[in-house]
Amino acid sequence: MATELGLAIKRRSASPASSTDIRTEAIEVSKLVDIDLCIGCKACEVACKEWNDLPVDETENFGSYQSHKDLTAATWDLMRFNEVELDGGDLAWLIRKDSCMHCAEPGCLLACPAPGAIVQYENGIVDFDQQNCIGCQYCVAGCPFDIPRFDPESKKVYKCTLCVDRVSNGLEPACVKACPTGSIRFGTKEEMLIYGEEKVAKLRGRGFDDALLYDPQGVGGLHMMYVVPRGGMLDEYGLPEDPTVKAASFFPVMSGLRKLGSLSMWAGIVGTAIFFLRSGRHPVPDEDEAVAAAQARAGSEGAEAGGREQAK
Amino acid sequence: MSVREEHGLVRYSLFDRILHWFVALTFIYLMLSGLALGYPRMAWLYDVLGGGSTVESVHPWVGAGFTIGVVLMLVSWAKSMRFNDIDRQWTRGLGSYTKSGHVDLDVDKYNAGQKGYFWFAIVTGVVLLLTGIPLWFPSLVTGGWAQVFRLLHHVFFLLSVGGFIIHVYTSTVMFPGTMTAMTTGSVSRRWAAWHHPRWFRDEEAKGA
């Protein structure tokens, strides 16, 4: 697994866009969850907590194998269990490891107004830097997979880092390391695509006709893909069919508006200065003249016709 | 004996002036913090204003204060801000007003430009409040709506800043003698007679 990769930054939230990268072949990494091999043991959940030093969220029995109802600011990885009745009366037990997908077009990063609170590395990892997070939660609204979680106490947002600290030192993410069946895999995006496509072909051979590799292009592709045996049941797995960056058209409009905004603000200041040079100040004439003019108005028709009577 | 007592006409009460400066200061804070929040290149303003988290949590509260100020302005000033026939004539003479700084009309306490800015500030203030609430409480909206509100908030921010620039320019540089209305609360007789002849005569008649 020769995926030791440095931390060259590709994009940084709320920072003036600037491409400083001259590399031609940045190697992208990816996780891949082969749902076919997953036994729902939750070792990945535990490994995630341990490696990232995350406090325990109390578990709750709500009639499911699932440890917690939902992701939280301190639970970045959650096995979701869903029981679905099939047409023939059979039962399908759908299990999915839910955590950040590390989109190539990260809706969270695009929405973030805090410089450097979200960074995307050349290797595809999207990471939050809580030091720079201002707690506005725009990323929560921007994420098409409902992943980031706001912690009201620290007023910061948290999510899976894809163990960027491990990956940059040549190690696989903690969840991958802990997975006993090899369901969670890690490698270059290319390797994972090859594995995924081969696996999908095998599944189809075994009768899972709608098996698919989940790597939606609406978000530019993922750096955590799934091999989904029952591809017709994405909804039941909790995976959006065709996720896109939410309100994607907002971002170009917004950036156009920013340009217009800064342009018009400068135009306003320069225009006002030119207006001043042209027209100058308008001082009032001396008191006698001004008062005389005002008094002269008193009897004039204009004064009677205008103003207060109609306005009342 | 002060100049005010000798020559001045009282234009704004202490309450009016406190209200004006409260709205002005909250607006300036909102504008600067808004610039930081909306413009990556202005992100250095976060540091000036105490850091991103501070700005993020203070901005909506200051916005709430600003809104209260705007509502008080509406309640206490709206009556004198109704448009009348003179205002329609004034608006037709806007070109010569901007050029020469004077239109020969029997203007009351406010001319149409001042009234226009008042209503402009009220409307932008209300829209900024309404579009700001879902940004303050993100759980109120889902999906792309947050971005729609951000966009609208931004558009009205730009409009309000445009109005603000004109307001500051006209009341300081363009028309000397105007500023004292909001500092000492009074204006000179010549200023009042020249710019607001009708209001001038009424005030003089009251005093007599």
Side-chain angles (χ1 to χ4, degrees), chain A residues 75-111:
Chain A
T75 299
W76 301 345
D77 181 29
L78 177 69
M79 303 299 301
R80 292 189 184 275
F81 294 77
N82 191 14
E83 293 163 39
V84 182
E85 220 176 292
L86 299 174
D87 284 342
D90 278 351
L91 191 75
W93 201 23
L94 308 181
I95 310 172
R96 178 174 69 94
K97 167 189 153 62
D98 189 19
S99 57
C100 176
M101 313 281 181
H102 300 271
C103 310
E105 282 297 319
C108 56
L109 189 150
L110 293 171

Side-chain angles (χ1 to χ4, degrees), chain A residues 41-123:
Chain A
C41 70
K42 303 168 194 157
C44 55
E45 280 186 24
V46 177
C48 177
K49 287 263 180 198
E50 285 202 327
W51 178 260
N52 292 298
D53 298 322
L54 294 170
V56 170
D57 280 322
E58 207 172 314
T59 58
E60 185 188 348
N61 185 349
F62 56 101
S64 165
Y65 253 59
Q66 205 166 308
S67 58
H68 306 82
K69 273 191 170 158
D70 201 4
L71 294 168
T72 70
T75 299
W76 301 345
D77 181 29
L78 177 69
M79 303 299 301
R80 292 189 184 275
F81 294 77
N82 191 14
E83 293 163 39
V84 182
E85 220 176 292
L86 299 174
D87 284 342
D90 278 351
L91 191 75
W93 201 23
L94 308 181
I95 310 172
R96 178 174 69 94
K97 167 189 153 62
D98 189 19
S99 57
C100 176
M101 313 281 181
H102 300 271
C103 310
E105 282 297 319
C108 56
L109 189 150
L110 293 171
C112 176
I118 306 179
V119 292
Q120 181 181 37
Y121 296 107
E122 289 281 0
N123 62 19

Side-chain angles (χ1 to χ4, degrees), chain A residues 119-230:
Chain A
V119 292
Q120 181 181 37
Y121 296 107
E122 289 281 0
N123 62 19
I125 296 178
V126 178
D127 195 18
F128 286 12
D129 182 351
Q130 280 77 26
Q131 189 68 41
N132 292 330
C133 173
I134 62 173
C136 69
Q137 304 169 63
Y138 289 177
C139 57
V140 177
C143 174
F145 296 104
D146 187 28
I147 296 294
R149 289 292 182 274
F150 179 67
D151 170 39
E153 206 163 310
S154 61
K155 293 200 166 67
K156 308 280 182 187
V157 180
Y158 300 81
K159 71 160 189 72
C160 156
T161 68
L162 217 151
C163 286
V164 65
D165 45 355
R166 293 175 57 89
V167 170
S168 60
N169 285 288
L171 300 170
E172 69 277 68
C175 55
V176 178
K177 177 87 175 170
C179 182
T181 65
S183 162
I184 315 174
R185 313 182 80 84
F186 180 74
T188 66
K189 169 102 188 195
E190 213 182 334
E191 287 166 0
M192 292 301 106
L193 281 172
I194 293 168
Y195 173 90
E197 276 152 19
E198 281 173 1
K199 184 62 193 259
V200 166
K202 260 188 225 170
L203 284 167
R204 288 191 175 159
R206 275 165 43 192
F208 288 96
D209 294 332
D210 51 3
L212 57 81
L213 178 63
Y214 189 76
D215 184 31
Q217 295 306 302
V219 290
L222 304 177
H223 295 90
M224 192 188 83
M225 303 182 285
Y226 294 94
V227 168
V228 187
R230 298 181 190 276

Side-chain angles (χ1 to χ4, degrees), chain A residues 111 258 281-282 284 287 308, chain B residues 38 108 150 174 189 202:
Chain A
R258 279 199 193 100
R281 312 190 79 185
H282 297 301
V284 177
E287 185 165 330
R308 196 157 296 166
Chain B
D108 205 339
R150 253 179 103 181
M174 193 166 169
R189 289 182 74 229
D202 288 352

